Amino acid sequence: MGCNVKTKRELIKFSWAIFNVFSIILVMFLFGCSKTHKNSINIVGSTSVQPFAEMLAQEFERLNPGVHVEVQGGGSTAGIQSVLQNIADIGTCSRQLAGSETNLNSILIAKDGLAIVVHPSNSIDNLSREQIRDIFSGKITSWKELGGKDQPIRIITREEGSGTREAFVKMVMGKSRISRKALNQESNGAVKELVKNDPCGIGYMSLGLVGNELKMVSVDGIKPTIDEAKAGKYPLVRPFLFVTKNEIKPESQKFIDFVLSSNAQEILRREGLIPIK
Amino acid sequence: MKTDKIISWILLLMALTAICGLALITIFIFKEGLPILVKVGPVKFIFSMDWYPSEGEFGIFSMIVGSLAVTCGALIIGIIFGIGCAILLAQFCPPRLVSILKPLVELLAGIPSVVYGFIGVVVLVPLIRDYLGGPGLSVLASSIVLGIMVLPTIISISIDAIRSVPGAYREGSIALGATEWQTMCMLTLKAARSGIVAAIILGMGRAIGETMAVIMVAGNTLDLPQSILDPVRTLTSNIALEMGYAAGTHRQALFATGVILFIIIMILNSIALVVSKHGIKSRKIL
């Protein structure tokens, strides 16, 4: 077989190139592994808690140079799973722990109101919890039935598994199901965007994240404000939890202590949460 | 030659890695998804419309319908514009213009799907809501977005198919007195039929598998759509929406959704293979 010298050389060149690519990937991988900070805290969990956790992490890093706090979303359940699998040091959770999860160590860091939001042009100011339930279960389908304009109601809900949704179902829906016709959005931000642009829309989201582009309706005649929630009057309030295993890294403990300090609680209050103190 | 052999072994190994990847994915999806599929019963899983994972009810019928509706809509748009564009670029367009237009069309394939979705939400959805009614997030919106996304696939493969029709056919037809347009409709498109069908089916594969853009514009309801202005949830968006949170049987049910999607896509791909093979045979006879 007369082997073509040129082809052979090209083949060797080619495999050499591939070998190089592989070794570069390998080296990068090794470096990637060794890069993990010794003093780092990994926080994973609820997308509702995430923006607040990030804010606290920044402040904590400023006060404790050399410690790195990484905050990720993923959802309450994902956060708890990550703690169980030792992927995360702290899991964040925006609902009550249930079932086997209660074996974990949980720390209440703040409470959050759940606001019922509508388009700013909507004339409805107050809804009872029964009315909200009937809207979301699809019994009431027009704003007219509630004294508003003759427009259909468009329900916007969070996806199955979301901590916000679970809290809403527990506090408002009870045994009834959220209507099949409800639009499902995968974050507080997406719900906000949709309600902001849809005059017929109604949704629910974290009180701290509503901003001033949406209209919040009173529930059972009580305005959704931090003061009302703190006084225990506003009915739709859920816990924000940090979840850890029973043994805990010193850095994580330090971060938790910081979060419970009056300084951090003040930050949370300013951002629209209900501090625990 | 010794080096030749070594290198061919290395290359074989690399080729096998890719195939192993496919095999592992298949095994993993089926391993995770089949138990719940068996437990719920495949018929109930596919034909029930009750998807309440927290209460242990898993039925994905409305999502199958949603996926099919959105894919059909995307194909209608993709076929009309894609084949029209392919005919133009392959036959009626001056070469210099082709050298500008074709790369531009192919550039469409390089835009990330989340960008399509974002434009859909910001531009398309409000337009549909204001002028046609409904929530805006709808079968129509997702069909349009997906239709644009499948264009590059359909156009570039159709162009190849049309160009691969032997020039003698065309010349013969024109010599017999047919106009350019008659030649295109009655001869070239027919001779290129199998390639064009393959292009459409590949586009279908892309449309049914797209996730991010669809999550953003489809609305993700659990109800059957009554019209093209109603929102839907597709199989892919169901998995992506709930995966982050799911645990236990819910997670398994999402894998089972993946199994069903896998089977649907396998069926589509097999059809594509059969059709394109059949096309090659019939062309030989012709």
Side-chain angles (χ1 to χ4, degrees):
Chain A
M1 189 179 110
C3 176
N4 189 335
V5 179
K6 202 182 155 206
T7 343
K8 195 176 142 188
R9 241 185 230 150
E10 270 175 6
L11 264 177
I12 294 175
K13 230 178 173 178
F14 176 65
S15 44
W16 182 242
I18 289 178
F19 174 75
N20 279 338
V21 171
F22 266 81
S23 30
I24 290 171
I25 292 173
L26 192 71
V27 168
M28 278 163 72
F29 184 69
L30 290 176
F31 270 92
C33 286
S34 65
K35 213 192 111 195
T36 43
H37 295 261
K38 204 177 149 211
N39 290 328
S40 77
I41 308 169
N42 205 1
I43 302 178
V44 181
S46 162
T47 48
S48 305
V49 185
Q50 191 184 3
F52 305 106
E54 274 166 3
M55 226 171 282
L56 294 171
Q58 260 179 21
E59 183 68 12
F60 184 71
E61 282 178 352
R62 198 175 63 77
L63 295 172
N64 299 277
V67 183
H68 182 70
V69 186
E70 193 164 321
V71 182
Q72 290 171 31
S76 298
T77 312
I80 292 163
Q81 288 297 323
S82 313
V83 170
L84 284 172
Q85 292 161 10
N86 284 326
I87 300 168
D89 301 310
I90 300 176
T92 59
C93 181
S94 53
R95 56 172 171 79
Q96 300 282 3
L97 296 184
S100 62
E101 296 168 355
T102 42
N103 294 336
L104 290 161
N105 183 17
S106 72
I107 302 129
L108 180 70
I109 62 156
K111 286 183 181 170
D112 179 36
L114 211 59
I116 308 295
V117 289
V118 294
H119 191 262
S121 73
N122 199 318
S123 59
I124 305 284
D125 290 313
N126 179 45
L127 291 169
S128 71
R129 253 194 284 186
E130 285 72 48
Q131 284 173 321
I132 299 172
R133 178 160 63 228
D134 289 347
I135 291 173
F136 277 85
S137 62
K139 258 191 222 153
I140 300 180
T141 54
S142 166
W143 286 110
K144 207 178 170 186
E145 293 172 54
L146 300 163
K149 287 179 207 148
D150 188 9
Q151 282 174 325
I153 295 178
R154 234 144 17 224
I155 317 157
I156 296 145
T157 180
R158 291 289 305 280
E159 75 285 13
E160 186 81 43
S162 140
T164 313
R165 179 185 175 128
E166 274 173 39
F168 177 79
V169 166
K170 207 171 155 217
M171 291 188 289
V172 178
M173 300 306 290
K175 289 246 154 59
S176 20
R177 285 168 167 172
I178 292 181
S179 162
R180 264 189 204 143
K181 294 199 188 318
L183 298 166
N184 282 244
Q185 293 295 309
E186 91 274 45
S187 67
N188 279 305
V191 171
K192 190 173 171 182
E193 191 63 30
L194 215 59
V195 176
K196 192 173 85 186
N197 292 319
D198 190 346
C200 315
I202 181 168
Y204 54 87
M205 61 189 294
S206 177
L207 183 58
L209 299 173
V210 174
N212 42 22
E213 289 163 310
L214 302 179
K215 179 175 173 182
M216 295 187 271
V217 296
S218 305
V219 177
D220 294 338
I222 296 162
K223 279 210 164 102
T225 61
I226 296 180
D227 293 335
E228 297 282 14
K230 207 176 171 190
K233 283 189 192 148
Y234 185 68
L236 308 181
V237 173
R238 59 173 170 159
F240 274 2
L241 303 173
F242 273 7
V243 180
T244 63
K245 286 202 156 172
N246 287 324
E247 63 273 24
I248 190 169
K249 278 206 304 196
E251 288 88 13
S252 309
Q253 186 59 51
K254 211 170 157 194
F255 182 66
I256 292 170
D257 291 342
F258 164 74
V259 169
L260 297 176
S261 73
S262 52
N263 251 343
Q265 290 290 319
E266 175 58 27
I267 295 176
L268 292 179
R269 195 194 61 77
R270 217 170 40 222
E271 294 301 328
L273 294 186
I274 305 145
I276 50 165
K277 282 172 191 160
Chain B
M1 297 273 118
K2 211 174 172 192
T3 38
D4 274 7
K5 237 182 195 166
I6 294 172
I7 286 161
S8 72
W9 273 109
I10 294 176
L11 291 177
L12 180 69
L13 202 73
M14 285 169 180
L16 283 181
T17 342
I19 295 164
C20 279
L22 178 69
L24 284 176
I25 291 171
T26 316
I27 293 168
F28 189 72
I29 296 177
F30 276 82
K31 185 185 137 259
E32 294 283 318
L34 276 186
I36 189 99
L37 207 56
V38 173
K39 200 174 126 205
V40 177
V43 176
K44 188 165 180 238
F45 190 77
I46 294 173
F47 291 106
S48 159
M49 272 180 41
D50 297 312
W51 176 264
Y52 298 105
S54 49
E55 296 167 34
E57 285 199 42
F58 306 105
I60 58 168
F61 186 65
S62 57
M63 299 167 211
I64 295 177
V65 172
S67 271
L68 294 180
V70 166
T71 309
C72 281
L75 283 183
I76 291 171
I77 291 165
I79 289 172
I80 293 174
F81 289 94
I83 294 186
C85 188
I87 292 173
L88 176 87
L89 288 179
Q91 211 66 272
F92 298 104
C93 200
R96 272 187 58 196
L97 201 56
V98 173
S99 66
I100 300 171
L101 285 182
K102 204 166 175 238
L104 283 182
V105 167
E106 280 156 8
L107 202 65
L108 271 183
I111 299 175
S113 58
V114 67
V115 174
Y116 281 104
F118 189 63
I119 292 175
V121 168
V122 175
V123 180
L124 197 60
V125 166
L127 279 179
I128 292 176
R129 182 167 50 219
D130 294 346
Y131 290 100
L132 298 174
L137 303 166
S138 55
V139 178
L140 182 64
S142 12
S143 296
I144 293 174
V145 168
L146 281 180
I148 296 170
M149 291 179 75
V150 300
L151 276 182
T153 315
I154 293 185
I155 292 174
S156 47
I157 298 175
S158 299
I159 288 180
D160 291 343
I162 292 173
R163 283 200 179 142
S164 69
V165 174
Y169 293 5
R170 197 173 149 262
E171 285 152 22
S173 162
I174 300 223
L176 285 171
T179 62
E180 287 264 11
W181 180 241
Q182 282 168 335
T183 307
M184 176 52 77
C185 287
M186 298 161 103
L187 193 135
T188 316
L189 278 187
K190 276 188 184 159
R193 192 181 48 208
S194 66
I196 292 174
V197 170
I200 292 168
I201 290 176
L202 277 175
M204 192 192 309
R206 169 138 202 212
I208 207 167
E210 176 50 43
T211 312
M212 198 56 226
V214 179
I215 286 189
M216 294 172 84
V217 296
N220 314 315
T221 48
L222 290 168
D223 211 20
L224 280 179
Q226 311 290 325
S227 82
I228 56 166
L229 296 177
D230 280 342
V232 286
R233 182 183 293 198
T234 64
L235 291 165
T236 48
S237 45
N238 186 46
I239 299 174
L241 259 184
E242 298 182 359
M243 198 74 222
Y245 297 111
T249 48
H250 186 190
R251 186 162 170 276
Q252 287 183 333
L254 293 183
F255 272 106
T257 313
V259 169
I260 303 292
L261 186 65
F262 195 88
I263 292 170
I264 292 178
I265 289 178
M266 285 301 245
I267 292 172
L268 290 181
N269 274 2
S270 321
I271 295 174
L273 272 180
V274 170
V275 168
S276 52
K277 261 191 195 150
H278 176 80
I280 292 165
K281 262 186 219 154
S282 60
R283 192 176 295 165
K284 267 180 196 154
I285 297 162
L286 204 147

